[in-house]
Structure formats: C-alpha cells, structure tokens
Amino acid sequence: MKEKCYIWAIRVKTYANRLTNEFDTVCTLQAQDRYILSKVHLASLAAETHIESEIVSAMCLFLNQQKIKRFQEEVYCLPPVIVNMAIANQPQGVFLQPKNNKPFRVEDYPMFIPFLDLKKLASHCYILAPVCYSQHWWLWLADTRKLKFYIVDPYHKKSSSDKRTTLNTFIGFVISRIRVYAVGAPLKTRDKDKEIEPPYLNISGQKTSYDCAIYVMKWLEIIQPENIKRLKYEWDNWTQILFHEMNQDKAEAIRGSNVIRLSKPSSLLLSPYC
C-alpha cells in the first residue's frame, strides 16, 4: 500500500485535451494558517527530482505540531518560505536589495508571516531553518541562548565557494531578523549581524547528489540539538530515510504498479477515507 501511494503521489496525469492534474489540490494542512499542497508538489518527491520547497515547509509545519517535548519546548522548525524568498531577491548575499537598495525586512513578506508561529519562534532555544539555493538544500541551526549558528549540510563538509560563504552570512542575518521580529524588538541592522561565519557540523552525509532535501527533512526530524556542541553528529541507520528504497527502485516500482489489477476492490479500498 505504501508503494502504491508513493506511485500515485508522484505521477501527474495527462488528459485527452492535454490538460494535467498537476495543480489539483491534494491536501490542506491546518497549521498557523491553511497550507495547501497540490499534485505538482508531491510529484517532486519522485527520484532524482528537485523537491519543491512547499514539501519542506509542510514538513516543518508538521513537526512543529508534534506532541513531542523536543518540538513543544525546545526546537522550532522555521518554514523556508521567507528565507528562500529573501535569497531569491538578493542572490548575491548582499544586505541591500539591488532593486530598491533597502535592507531585508520581515514585514516585506506579509504573505508568509501567517505561517510563522511567533510564540514558539520567540520562546524555543533552537531554530532549525532549511535553506535552498541553486537546487541544493542544507540546514541552519541557531542556538538562541548562546547566539551561535551552525550549518548542517548532508553533502558538503565546508563551504563550497566564497559565494556560498557570503550567502551563508546573509542567511544568518535573515534568520536573526526573523527572530528579532518574533520577540518584538526593534528592527535595526547591526554590523555584528554581518559577521556571522557559522561552522559546518561533521555529520553523516548523503550518498547521492540529488536527495539533499530528503536528508534535510530527516535531520529536522531526528537531530538532538543539545549534542551539537561536539561539532560532530553521527546517525548510521539511514535505511529508514524517507522513500529511500523506492527512490532506488523507482522504475521497477512503476512497472510493477502498471500490472496490478483488482477484480473486486475490498471494502477498505472503497471507503471514502482511503
């Protein structure tokens, strides 16, 4: 059943009139606001496909509502919408927007603010922020008590270029401004914010070049921030990673699903809740 659901989710249907169902609504999450996922978002979970940021945002919203002490009291997963949009507006990592020469302000992104849980963002000790640039995902970790940042990158052990270093500094600035917005302090740019140079954590890395978002979502789920001070984090049981086996066997799974025929559907499959 899991394999059938996976195949159903990642395949976009094309009709006789050449229209598709890629923009059909699949589900709505009740988070701080209604968050809608379409077929095109779930289809990005196919193997060797760049995962849409809406999927990572949904994972953040989902984890923030888990009845687990770590997420209820300590860890807040920052949906990537504002950070990624800020990067898109300022791709060179500059602190002033090239179009209007204005600094980054959270208020400039009113369509995304409703998805921020400002209470948890202000009270929790650790902020986990997924980031995407040039189709690569990595994770920022902010320790709000010690005012320290760390980078969790499943593919790189250090900054891959000077441009990436500059961009990381800008991302740290953006996350710090979002935190300031949540606690209600005045939004003033400090020179110290522009000196953020976070270390890369030594973590168990991914084995492929295209599954970075999957690994980032898994780290969101399992990471124990109190162990970050070691600057090394190991987790060997990657056999449980989301869709791992199906990503490897996508073609075979599709072929297998095409020959499945149910002569008489069960009562379970006929249920409207299935």
Side-chain angles (χ1 to χ4, degrees), residues 21 39 46 69 71 117 139 144 149 182 190 209 215 223 225 274:
N21 66 343
K39 187 73 170 181
K69 181 179 179 180
F71 295 110
D117 189 328
L139 183 66
T144 61
F149 286 93
R190 301 176 302 172
S209 60
Y215 279 78
I223 200 167
C274 179

Side-chain angles (χ1 to χ4, degrees), residues 117-177:
D117 189 328
L118 299 182
K119 291 183 178 180
K120 289 185 177 181
L121 191 56
S123 63
H124 285 30
C125 302
Y126 302 100
I127 299 174
L128 297 179
V131 177
C132 182
Y133 176 74
S134 189
Q135 295 192 344
H136 177 64
W137 284 91
W138 68 98
L139 183 66
W140 267 71
L141 189 152
D143 186 333
T144 61
R145 292 176 302 180
K146 298 181 180 179
L147 301 179
K148 290 185 177 181
F149 286 93
Y150 304 93
I151 292 179
V152 179
D153 191 322
Y155 198 63
H156 299 107
K157 302 301 182 184
K158 61 181 181 179
S159 180
S160 56
S161 64
D162 291 339
K163 182 178 180 180
R164 180 62 59 84
T165 300
T166 302
L167 189 65
N168 274 327
T169 302
F170 173 68
I171 293 169
F173 167 74
V174 170
I175 295 173
S176 68
R177 294 297 91 193

Side-chain angles (χ1 to χ4, degrees), residues 17 38 49 66 105 127 130 153 169 180 206 221 231 273:
N17 58 3
S38 301
T49 304
Q66 291 295 291
R105 297 172 70 252
I127 299 174
D153 191 322
T169 302
V180 169
Q206 69 188 70
E221 180 184 0
L231 294 183
Y273 301 102

Side-chain angles (χ1 to χ4, degrees), residues 93-272:
V94 295
F95 289 84
L96 298 177
Q97 298 186 36
K99 294 183 179 179
N100 53 27
N101 206 35
K102 293 182 179 180
F104 167 83
R105 297 172 70 252
V106 180
E107 292 92 334
D108 293 336
Y109 301 86
M111 69 290 290
F112 300 133
I113 292 177
F115 297 104
L116 300 178
D117 189 328
L118 299 182
K119 291 183 178 180
K120 289 185 177 181
L121 191 56
S123 63
H124 285 30
C125 302
Y126 302 100
I127 299 174
L128 297 179
V131 177
C132 182
Y133 176 74
S134 189
Q135 295 192 344
H136 177 64
W137 284 91
W138 68 98
L139 183 66
W140 267 71
L141 189 152
D143 186 333
T144 61
R145 292 176 302 180
K146 298 181 180 179
L147 301 179
K148 290 185 177 181
F149 286 93
Y150 304 93
I151 292 179
V152 179
D153 191 322
Y155 198 63
H156 299 107
K157 302 301 182 184
K158 61 181 181 179
S159 180
S160 56
S161 64
D162 291 339
K163 182 178 180 180
R164 180 62 59 84
T165 300
T166 302
L167 189 65
N168 274 327
T169 302
F170 173 68
I171 293 169
F173 167 74
V174 170
I175 295 173
S176 68
R177 294 297 91 193
I178 295 175
R179 162 76 176 183
V180 169
Y181 177 84
V183 299
L187 287 171
K188 294 182 179 179
T189 302
R190 301 176 302 172
D191 290 337
K192 189 175 181 181
D193 290 330
K194 300 180 182 181
E195 299 174 359
I196 299 173
E197 295 182 3
Y200 277 63
L201 296 182
N202 184 11
I203 65 170
S204 301
Q206 69 188 70
K207 303 301 187 292
T208 63
S209 60
Y210 53 82
D211 271 343
C212 49
I214 296 293
Y215 279 78
V216 163
M217 287 190 288
K218 192 63 181 180
W219 279 114
L220 282 172
E221 180 184 0
I222 68 170
I223 200 167
Q224 300 284 347
E226 64 271 16
N227 295 329
I228 293 300
K229 61 184 179 180
R230 297 180 301 168
L231 294 183
K232 184 177 181 180
Y233 210 105
E234 297 289 344
W235 193 66
D236 296 327
N237 193 16
W238 285 108
T239 57
Q240 296 181 11
I241 200 164
L242 184 63
F243 303 138
H244 174 69
E245 292 180 358
M246 282 175 275
N247 268 342
Q248 290 183 343
D249 302 325
K250 174 191 173 187
E252 182 178 348
I254 289 177
R255 285 195 299 271
S257 68
N258 287 336
V259 300
I260 294 176
R261 296 291 184 269
L262 294 175
S263 57
K264 186 178 180 181
S266 65
S267 58
L268 173 64
L269 291 178
L270 291 174
S271 168

Side-chain angles (χ1 to χ4, degrees), residues 62-75:
F62 177 75
L63 291 175
N64 287 335
Q65 297 184 68
Q66 291 295 291
K67 302 301 182 182
I68 300 174
K69 181 179 179 180
R70 184 167 76 256
F71 295 110
Q72 290 295 311
E73 301 179 6
E74 297 180 322
V75 176

